[in-house]
Amino acid sequence: MKISYLSSIIIALVFTLTSCSEANYNFKIQNTKNATLGDKIDISVSEANGKSNDSVRLFFLDKELEVKNNKAVLETKDLLPGKHKITALVFIAGKVEKIHSSVELYSNVKPKVYRFEIVNTYPHDKNAYTQGLEYYNGYLYETTGRRGKSTLRKVDIETGEVLQKYNLDEKYFGEGMTIYGDEIFWLTWQYNKGFVFDLETFQQKKEFYYLNSKQGWGLSHNEKELIKTDGTNKIWFLDPATQKEKRNIQVYALKKSINKLNEIEYIDSKIYSNYWKTGKEIKPTIAIIDPSSGIVEALIDMKSLRQTILKEQKLESDDVLNGIAYDTKNDRLFVTGKHWGKLFEIKIIKE
């Protein structure tokens, strides 16, 4: 891929320093406002009236940059996409002031566009406002949302029959879930709280809080971590033992931040994610995301699947594609939506 190098596109963050002699200084950080991974970014600190400072220290992601004559060059080829902070410490007249600017780094990968075909169709409860979906040992496990209607379910795939159910306290709006070990982890929407249940009995064992991520939306896991969405473009990685948030990535498809990430599934070392509708137009899509970087590698257009449902039942605007489950042993991918009367087994066509 060809890498372009940016000329200086200036964004300024202005602040005022006052020295012991009450002299006013008007310094600013100059840097590119946005860039693509691989670009070089020139960063400098200057004073609007040409006055000099004693020294400057520059930091990016808490790493100090090499500064010469109040200038630094930021190499971005090994960085991650997203909005990132730049910090300057300006020393002058015996004082020090901290100022900030930022840069948004875009993905340098053009997503592929995949098709799909329907392999099998199964019945699905139209009353299920699907929030989380997971395949485990021959059964589907599903969580549904809305206050007073949020449930945890064990479902027979072939018949759609609910074999086991837990009703969440009506004050909570249930969201995504995942199975890790012999426990079920279940998120709530706006309460910054999740619950842990015994897989066999559906008995609640404990609750946990997410402090940095904004809300609870989708949940999955890899071999060592829980993987969580919060309704933004961020994906969070949690310690399964403590449920503490360890780190996050920001999701980008070229110059577009993919916001409102929703139900997710970890499949073959990639994250598959629905994302919530934007505006009035509903565009059912699954993004395939590199979990190490947040870069969207491919998109699956699922619009025709919702149209298939619309031929058979009426859907409200909120009744969107939401629910991804994967049978690893048999390589089967299942999808459904909120209040959809069908569960689909699909095959992704990567031509």
Side-chain angles (χ1 to χ4, degrees), residues 15 27 40 53 60 78-79 82 116 166 207 217 228 247 250 258 285 292 295 298 317:
F15 73 100
F27 282 95
K40 290 182 179 180
N53 55 275
F60 181 82
D78 296 322
L79 299 177
F116 73 93
Y166 175 92
E207 57 186 44
W217 284 48
K228 175 183 179 294
R247 59 190 173 91
Q250 300 178 58
I258 305 300
T285 307
S292 66
I295 291 174
S317 61

Side-chain angles (χ1 to χ4, degrees), residues 172 191-195 207-213 228 238 242-245:
Y172 296 115
Y191 283 81
N192 297 106
K193 180 189 290 189
F195 299 98
E207 57 186 44
F208 62 94
Y209 294 86
Y210 21 101
L211 303 178
N212 296 309
S213 53
K228 175 183 179 294
L238 285 64
T242 65
Q243 297 84 54
K244 301 297 183 184
E245 297 144 330

Side-chain angles (χ1 to χ4, degrees), residues 10-271:
I10 304 302
I11 181 174
L13 178 62
V14 180
F15 73 100
T16 301
L17 281 174
T18 303
S19 72
C20 296
S21 60
E22 300 299 328
N24 291 324
Y25 297 90
N26 191 4
F27 282 95
K28 58 187 176 183
I29 295 177
Q30 297 175 310
N31 62 277
T32 57
K33 183 176 181 180
N34 49 60
T36 299
L37 294 176
D39 293 338
K40 290 182 179 180
I41 300 174
D42 294 321
I43 306 172
S44 63
V45 175
S46 62
E47 204 276 334
N49 299 312
K51 299 176 182 178
S52 61
N53 55 275
D54 298 328
S55 63
V56 168
R57 297 176 68 184
L58 283 166
F59 299 84
F60 181 82
L61 297 176
D62 297 323
K63 180 179 179 181
E64 187 164 5
L65 305 177
E66 183 179 354
V67 177
K68 292 183 179 179
N69 299 321
N70 293 345
K71 297 179 180 180
V73 176
L74 176 63
E75 298 276 1
T76 67
K77 62 181 181 179
D78 296 322
L79 299 177
L80 301 181
K83 295 180 180 179
H84 304 294
K85 185 169 65 174
I86 299 171
T87 300
L89 297 179
V90 181
F91 298 84
I92 186 168
K95 291 190 173 184
V96 60
E97 188 80 12
K98 180 187 289 187
I99 58 172
H100 302 288
S101 185
S102 64
V103 61
E104 186 171 19
L105 299 179
Y106 297 138
S107 166
N108 56 4
V109 176
K110 183 179 180 179
K112 298 176 181 178
V113 178
Y114 294 154
R115 299 182 295 110
F116 73 93
E117 62 182 29
I118 298 173
V119 178
N120 284 306
T121 304
Y122 307 93
H124 181 253
D125 182 7
K126 291 182 182 179
N127 294 315
Y129 193 73
T130 305
Q131 300 290 65
L133 195 69
E134 188 152 333
Y135 178 93
Y136 185 81
N137 279 356
Y139 298 96
L140 280 180
Y141 289 78
E142 181 176 22
T143 48
T144 67
R146 294 191 167 170
R147 291 178 181 87
K149 298 181 180 181
S150 296
T151 62
L152 167 64
R153 305 172 172 203
K154 180 179 180 180
V155 180
D156 184 289
I157 294 177
E158 297 292 334
T159 66
E161 180 185 358
V162 178
L163 305 174
Q164 192 174 353
K165 185 167 75 169
Y166 175 92
N167 296 310
L168 190 62
D169 189 304
E170 63 181 14
K171 71 179 180 181
Y172 296 115
F173 191 120
E175 285 282 347
M177 58 76 65
T178 195
I179 298 170
Y180 188 92
D182 59 357
E183 295 178 322
I184 298 171
F185 295 81
W186 187 9
L187 304 175
T188 63
W189 181 24
Q190 295 176 318
Y191 283 81
N192 297 106
K193 180 189 290 189
F195 299 98
V196 182
F197 292 84
D198 181 90
L199 175 60
E200 295 298 324
T201 65
F202 278 17
Q203 275 194 317
Q204 183 180 325
K205 298 174 66 174
K206 63 179 178 179
E207 57 186 44
F208 62 94
Y209 294 86
Y210 21 101
L211 303 178
N212 296 309
S213 53
K214 291 188 174 182
Q215 296 177 354
W217 284 48
L219 194 63
S220 186
H221 71 273
N222 58 26
E223 295 80 7
K224 298 181 179 180
E225 300 164 306
L226 303 180
I227 305 173
K228 175 183 179 294
T229 60
D230 67 352
T232 68
N233 75 322
K234 290 183 178 180
I235 294 178
W236 296 81
F237 296 82
L238 285 64
D239 184 327
T242 65
Q243 297 84 54
K244 301 297 183 184
E245 297 144 330
K246 298 162 54 179
R247 59 190 173 91
N248 69 76
I249 54 174
Q250 300 178 58
V251 177
Y252 278 77
L254 287 180
K255 294 184 178 181
K256 183 180 180 181
S257 170
I258 305 300
N259 298 298
K260 299 185 179 180
L261 295 167
N262 205 355
E263 219 276 306
I264 56 173
E265 186 78 4
Y266 187 77
I267 304 173
D268 292 335
S269 301
K270 304 295 179 183
I271 296 172

